[in-house]
Amino acid sequence: MSQPGGRPTRHEDDWWGELYDDSTEDTGPTAAPDSLDDRFASAKNTVAGRGRRGVADEPGAAPVPPAAAVPSATVPTPPTVPAQRAAAAPAAEPPGEDTAAARKPWPWDEEDQEFLEAEGDAWADSHPATRPDLATLPPHSAPAAPVSSVEYVGSGPPTYDAEPTALPAADPDELGDLVADTVLDGACYGTCTLRAVSQRGDSARYRGQPRRDALLTARFGAGDQALLLVAMATGARATPGAHRAAAEACEWIARAVGRSHQRLTEDIQAARRGDLKSGLHRLTDRTLGKLRASAAEQGIAADEYAASLRCLLIPAQLQCRTRVFFGVGEGGLFRLRDGEWQDIEPRVETDTVGEAVVDFGSPPAESPEGDRLTMDLGIPTPPSPYEPAPEPPRDPFLFRASVARPGDALVMCSGGLADPLRGEPALCAYLARRWSGRTPPGLAAFLADAQVRVKGYADDRTAAAVWEA
């Protein structure tokens, strides 16, 4: 191209005039295919052609098999590689053992293999034929217990199927209320190993009902001041919002414990049993009070939006083996020691009430005026419209602080597992054999053990077990 203002003296500038001539028509769409697949195939053939052509042009090089044939109607012919680029390509070594080893199939996928071959043989020779950058996992110190193959114990097979049948109905505007069929968790701190599971019962799986049990595991703090919390709750039976009430109870008690975990950890390590009981009682009452307030806001009866709550506190300090249980409602607390089950559920302290004794609290036969008293027929007095209705009786607060021994297994569970443990000796014997070993079961083995079924017990099951080393 000539300088501005100069005269074109060479015929090389004729293309400029042809390109911008007024009589030249528009080029229009090209006749060659121009899809994304066509461009990818063209680029792939171009790259493959460069690597193979540079090797094949060298004298004495081994012949390289041609690339896969592509129909000319769909893929354009790759451009010719310039001579200087072919000369700059590294010379191929004579065929031998090293060349044959380098051309063995790679352990990656076929697409990765084609990409690596297109980069040239020199790059392939400098890398081993194994997958790089993968660290070797260390061997386990102790093998975990094998997964159980027992499906049920007792007199016969249960009525329902072992696997879930129907999913609960979902609301597109309330997808956050969906509850998984099974929740599994575990941890290891200090001298204890924790396993926790919550799964839907056979009856709920068959009818497509959500799991009424809720499970929450959390760690507050770090180091020796860390405190582990396991909370489980069970919503009221045959109520639509039972799973929400159970989840809220676990969340609120965990929030209260987390905000006071430093004081609770100090009380546990110092064995302040009285302070622990009164403080945890207050936190539990606040949680249940929030449930009743939430029921009033929703216009639901308090007994329909209620939940039983059971919690376990485990300090992470190695020298402290105190395990604190507290809660309200049905369930079970068991300890497996020396291969035998111990039911250590706290007993409710109630006042003994008996019949009145003559001259010591018995009603007089007549009034001071001489009128004989009428017989009490046991007819209840109707409530007064001016007095508030009496509240339903509340479940008593449960508390127990125990010191664990090496080899113990502490099991806290909801009523879905506590009832068959108390009512089916075969289940107690089976779990005693499975959980009495020094090595705690893995997550899969613990799940298999916890879901061993018993005929006549089809409720949700939630359990947390702590093994002491």
Side-chain angles (χ1 to χ4, degrees):
M1 182 176 179
S2 60
Q3 297 295 329
R7 297 181 59 187
T9 58
R10 295 178 297 178
H11 64 278
E12 289 86 347
D13 295 338
D14 295 341
W15 64 274
W16 184 267
E18 295 178 359
L19 178 63
Y20 291 93
D21 188 20
D22 296 337
S23 61
T24 304
E25 298 179 356
D26 190 8
T27 56
T30 178
D34 193 27
S35 63
L36 181 60
D37 295 338
D38 297 330
R39 294 190 178 187
F40 176 77
S42 176
K44 175 181 174 183
N45 293 336
T46 302
V47 175
R50 290 178 181 177
R52 298 185 182 277
R53 189 180 298 274
V55 176
D57 290 344
E58 293 295 332
V64 181
V70 180
S72 59
T74 58
V75 179
T77 304
T80 304
V81 181
Q84 62 271 20
R85 181 168 299 181
E93 298 178 0
E97 296 181 358
D98 297 340
T99 306
R103 293 179 180 175
K104 290 182 179 180
W106 289 78
W108 286 274
D109 299 335
E110 294 180 2
E111 295 181 2
D112 296 338
Q113 179 180 353
E114 295 177 358
F115 175 77
L116 293 175
E117 290 180 355
E119 293 294 326
D121 295 342
W123 187 93
D125 293 340
S126 62
H127 289 72
T130 57
R131 186 183 296 271
D133 302 333
L134 290 182
T136 304
L137 296 178
H140 296 285
S141 57
V147 179
S148 171
S149 59
V150 177
E151 294 185 359
Y152 65 89
V153 295
S155 59
T159 305
Y160 301 99
D161 295 335
E163 301 299 331
T165 303
L167 289 174
D171 185 356
D173 297 329
E174 300 292 341
L175 295 180
D177 291 342
L178 295 180
V179 182
D181 178 88
T182 304
V183 177
L184 186 64
D185 202 355
C188 182
Y189 283 91
T191 60
C192 66
T193 300
L194 172 65
R195 299 287 183 263
V197 64
S198 179
Q199 60 182 1
R200 199 161 46 137
D202 294 343
S203 177
R205 286 178 170 180
Y206 178 77
R207 291 178 170 84
Q209 298 174 352
R211 175 167 49 89
R212 294 187 296 116
D213 283 5
L215 174 66
L216 186 147
T217 56
R219 174 182 62 88
F220 303 105
D224 292 341
Q225 300 301 319
L227 182 64
L228 307 182
L229 168 67
V230 181
M232 58 182 66
T234 303
R237 189 183 299 272
T239 55
H243 61 288
R244 288 192 295 269
E248 289 181 356
C250 290
E251 179 181 353
W252 286 334
I253 194 63
R255 189 176 303 172
V257 170
R259 292 172 178 173
S260 306
H261 75 277
Q262 295 181 354
R263 177 66 182 275
L264 291 173
T265 303
E266 294 175 359
D267 291 343
I268 293 175
Q269 294 177 358
R272 303 189 187 102
R273 186 180 183 278
D275 295 343
L276 281 172
K277 184 175 181 180
S278 60
L280 294 175
H281 193 179
R282 183 172 61 255
L283 297 182
T284 304
D285 286 346
R286 289 179 182 176
T287 299
L288 299 180
K290 289 183 179 180
L291 274 182
R292 291 189 292 268
S294 179
E297 293 177 357
Q298 301 177 30
I300 307 175
D303 56 346
E304 294 183 1
Y305 201 77
S308 62
L309 180 63
R310 310 179 73 82
C311 303
L312 186 64
L313 296 179
I314 307 170
Q317 188 181 22
L318 294 176
Q319 293 77 13
C320 184
R321 289 183 178 267
T322 304
R323 311 296 180 238
V324 179
F325 161 80
F326 67 96
V328 171
E330 298 179 353
L333 183 65
F334 305 92
R335 180 170 56 200
L336 183 60
R337 174 174 291 177
D338 298 332
E340 296 182 358
W341 285 104
Q342 301 175 2
D343 191 347
I344 58 175
E345 179 80 5
R347 304 303 177 188
V348 179
E349 299 178 359
T350 57
D351 297 335
T352 302
V353 179
E355 295 292 337
V357 181
V358 178
D359 295 335
F360 290 93
S362 58
E366 60 182 14
S367 66
E369 291 78 10
D371 297 334
R372 302 286 297 178
L373 300 178
T374 58
M375 182 182 299
D376 185 7
L377 300 179
I379 301 175
T381 304
S384 173
Y386 303 102
E387 297 180 359
E391 296 182 359
R394 300 178 182 178
D395 295 329
F397 176 73
L398 306 176
F399 176 86
R400 185 182 183 93
S402 59
V403 179
R405 299 179 184 176
D408 287 355
L410 183 64
V411 179
M412 179 184 69
C413 55
S414 63
L417 183 59
D419 293 342
L421 276 177
R422 295 189 177 107
E424 181 55 55
L427 181 62
C428 294
Y430 173 77
L431 293 182
R433 292 193 305 268
R434 295 284 299 173
W435 293 351
S436 293
R438 287 286 183 177
T439 303
L443 290 179
F446 181 73
L447 174 61
D449 295 338
Q451 64 184 2
V452 173
R453 304 184 299 154
V454 180
K455 187 175 183 179
Y457 301 94
D459 288 340
D460 299 345
R461 286 187 180 183
T462 302
V466 180
W467 281 264
E468 303 291 341

